[in-house]
Amino acid sequence: MPPSRPLSLITGASAGIGAAFARDLAARGHDLVLTARRVDRLEALAEALRRQHQCQVTVLPCDLADPAAPEQLCNALAQRGLHVDWLINNAGYGVPGTFEATAWKTHADFIQVLITAPAELAWRLLPGMRQRSYGRIVNVASLAGHVPGSAGHTLYAASKAYLIKFSQSLALENRHLGINVCALCPGFTLSEFHDVTGTRDLVNKMPSYMWQTAEAVVQESYEAVERGEIVHVTGRFNRFIKSLVKLMPDRMALWLSARESKRYRHAD
């Protein structure tokens, strides 16, 4: 049985899907641990949630690009006697441009944040979940993990495909112990992501039916993880795209990806 007030750790909680997870879970009676780099945003969100939902919110800012950050974060939880029931591995961003045109340090930080940190946090928090026979892990992947890669954001689709496969194996290893693991795969989501990557002007030209709000994505995610769904693509349009690409010959799918990606990605 879940605890009366589950404790959820949300990475990348200062904006977008992470902040939407915080608001949704607080409304459902969860206490929260919020982490990201932007302390001012975390504190403002935490104070608003405390007032609105009378929940306990702990702010533990950190930069997951630092290889020591996951261990330090888990040590801070242990020092406060906090036992995580829900882990939302949401922290992420895009690195626009071609692979060789970007400094390796930038790529290394990206791999640390989107691949290594989620895996390490799951590894460090799973023993407690297994001991309590209850846990939920949501790894925020992307529709990009299901479709062919494209020029620009070279590591992005690869990292999301990793999170999908990682979630599948982790789910099969732990579902008999009361732990559900779900790879959440949204498509285009209304957030700051495209402002950060400098592609806002490109994606603004795309039709409205291709977009979802962060709140809609989180609502679908909660329902999917609770019913034990291991991989969930949000939105009917995105599920159609995934199914269509799966049926296509690889050569056609790559051609289509190369053509369409010019609408929303910078290749140089």
Side-chain angles (χ1 to χ4, degrees), residues 65 93-96 101-113 155:
Y93 56 95
V95 177
T102 302
W104 176 249
K105 179 63 166 59
T106 301
H107 290 316
D109 287 349
F110 179 91
I111 292 168
Q112 172 63 35
V113 173
L155 293 175

Side-chain angles (χ1 to χ4, degrees), residues 10-231:
I10 305 169
T11 70
S14 60
I17 291 174
F21 260 115
R23 291 189 290 267
D24 184 88
L25 294 175
R28 295 179 187 274
H30 287 222
D31 293 324
L32 305 173
V33 178
L34 308 180
T35 187
R37 292 177 299 172
R38 295 179 287 189
V39 183
D40 55 339
R41 289 198 177 193
L42 290 178
E43 293 289 1
L45 177 60
E47 183 56 32
L49 294 176
R50 293 184 192 112
R51 287 198 310 267
Q52 185 173 1
H53 301 292
Q54 292 75 54
C55 57
Q56 295 183 11
V57 185
T58 303
V59 172
L60 296 175
C62 75
D63 183 358
L64 291 175
D66 180 356
E71 182 177 11
Q72 292 172 352
L73 181 58
C74 291
N75 288 341
L77 293 169
Q79 290 168 4
R80 290 164 173 79
L82 298 174
H83 305 292
V84 172
D85 302 297
W86 283 61
L87 169 61
I88 312 295
N89 275 319
N90 167 74
Y93 56 95
V95 177
T98 55
F99 187 65
E100 91 292 342
T102 302
W104 176 249
K105 179 63 166 59
T106 301
H107 290 316
D109 287 349
F110 179 91
I111 292 168
Q112 172 63 35
V113 173
L114 275 86
I115 295 178
T116 305
E120 183 174 352
L121 287 172
W123 180 79
R124 292 185 178 280
L125 296 173
L126 260 174
M129 295 180 182
R130 291 169 69 101
Q131 185 178 20
R132 296 186 297 274
S133 298
Y134 177 81
R136 301 289 185 264
I137 298 175
V138 177
N139 293 315
V140 180
S142 171
L143 176 65
H146 292 284
V147 301
S150 60
H153 294 288
T154 316
L155 293 175
Y156 188 79
S159 70
K160 298 304 185 179
Y162 164 82
L163 285 176
I164 292 168
K165 295 300 183 182
F166 171 61
S167 299
Q168 289 173 330
S169 295
L170 202 62
L172 296 177
E173 291 175 4
N174 291 281
R175 62 183 179 181
H176 65 289
L177 296 170
I179 299 169
N180 293 354
V181 181
C182 180
L184 174 64
C185 302
F188 289 102
T189 306
L190 295 168
S191 71
E192 297 177 2
F193 177 89
H194 301 286
D195 297 312
V196 174
T197 60
T199 55
R200 174 59 61 190
D201 290 341
L202 289 174
V203 297
N204 278 347
K205 300 175 184 177
M206 302 179 73
S208 60
Y209 64 79
M210 297 183 67
W211 292 90
Q212 282 186 293
T213 64
E215 289 73 21
V217 167
V218 168
Q219 173 70 29
E220 282 196 45
S221 172
Y222 183 88
E223 295 170 355
V225 72
E226 282 294 76
R227 65 175 173 259
E229 193 170 344
I230 297 175
V231 178

